[in-house]
Structure formats: C-alpha cells, structure tokens
Amino acid sequence: MMTSDHRKIAIVGGGPVGLAALAHCIENELDAELFEAAADVAHAMRQWGHVRMFSPASWNLDRASIRMLRETGWSPSQLPVYVTGNELIERYLEPLATMPRLCERIKLEHRVTRVERHSGGGYRLDLDGCESRVADLVIDASGTWFNPRQISVFD
C-alpha cells in the first residue's frame, strides 16, 4: 500500500469503472470522492440490465474491488459465468457500493455539469444546485449511455 497522498481526486460516474477507480483510490489511501448523477449506482447499466453480457462475469470484475468484497465473505464464484447487467449490479456493484469505506465517499444525485481549470490549480467541478468542488485530478467515468459527449474541460 502507498502512503497517503494529499491530492484530492474527483471521480465522475458511479458505474463499474467509477466504483473500481474509487476502490483503487481507497486501497492506496488516496483522498477521493465519487459523484453520481442518479439516485443509485450503475444507473446507466440498469437501462439494459435485462441483457445477458456476452463476456464472462470474471472479465468485468476489478481486482481492488474483489479484495475489498472478500473482506465480507463475498466470492467471485457466487456469480454465474454469464450474468445479466442486473445480476452484475445486484451481486457485485451494489454490495461494493454499500461497503462503509466506499459509501461514505459516494455522492449520489450529484450531477457534474462542468469541469474547468481552477485559478488556484487543479480543477473546479460545478454540480447541479450551484454547488462546486475543487480537485487536483478528475477521473471521467461518466460513460456515454445517456450522453455520447464527454464532459468539457474549459481553460
């Protein structure tokens, strides 16, 4: 494990990639916060949750997330080889997101509307409701399901 880093990391998107990024940050003792626009994690996946994935479930699991979940007795072997999106959410992503170390850093219903360079260095993230945060690093895991455009970074 690495020593604590004082940089602030903002993760945009609470799907599998965003949650994996958060798990890695926590595992490495980094200061990170995840912003999800919806009221639940993996919101975009839920739109196609009835569809069986064409790749084995094991290909869609993150190592840091697995290590954390194993602390609760969870095992990847609990998943069928080929899962639906909903099965992956219910049996993997939701248990991960409810772990105390993660859930305290997940901000649901916090839509990031803009990212721009901050005058003091780093980036300013504007959120719905006239709220903003400053971070040294932004990881965009927002995906493209609802909006095929990426978040714009303005100088």
Side-chain angles (χ1 to χ4, degrees):
M1 226 184 269
M2 296 173 59
T3 59
S4 182
D5 191 326
H6 298 294
R7 291 179 290 176
K8 179 78 175 167
I9 300 168
I11 302 165
V12 181
V17 175
L19 291 170
L22 183 58
H24 281 270
C25 287
I26 291 169
E27 188 174 71
N28 288 287
E29 300 177 9
L30 300 173
D31 185 10
E33 196 170 33
L34 184 147
F35 300 97
E36 168 54 46
D40 48 19
V41 296
H43 182 71
M45 276 184 77
R46 294 172 196 275
Q47 310 310 302
W48 53 266
H50 62 287
V51 176
R52 189 160 308 283
M53 299 176 80
F54 59 86
S55 56
S58 62
W59 291 10
N60 296 288
L61 305 179
D62 168 68
R63 291 180 183 167
S65 301
I66 291 171
R67 286 189 290 271
M68 287 185 178
L69 284 166
R70 281 195 168 135
E71 296 170 9
T72 68
W74 183 90
S75 171
S77 65
Q78 297 171 340
L79 293 171
V81 174
Y82 292 97
V83 295
T84 64
N86 285 335
E87 288 172 326
L88 192 67
I89 292 167
E90 293 165 8
R91 297 184 187 186
Y92 170 63
L93 296 174
E94 286 177 342
L96 179 63
T98 58
M99 294 190 70
R101 291 190 291 169
L102 271 79
C103 73
E104 64 189 20
R105 296 174 187 224
I106 296 172
K107 307 301 177 199
L108 298 174
E109 299 184 270
H110 280 69
R111 179 180 301 279
V112 175
T113 57
R114 181 178 170 123
V115 177
E116 66 182 6
R117 291 223 180 256
H118 186 261
S119 59
Y123 300 91
R124 187 182 89 203
L125 290 79
D126 289 341
L127 308 171
D128 275 351
C130 301
E131 190 178 348
S132 66
R133 297 281 205 296
V134 174
D136 298 298
L137 174 70
V138 178
I139 299 173
D140 182 0
S142 60
T144 59
W145 183 262
F146 292 110
N147 184 359
R149 295 181 9 213
Q150 296 178 342
I151 294 176
S152 298
V153 176
F154 300 93
D155 287 322

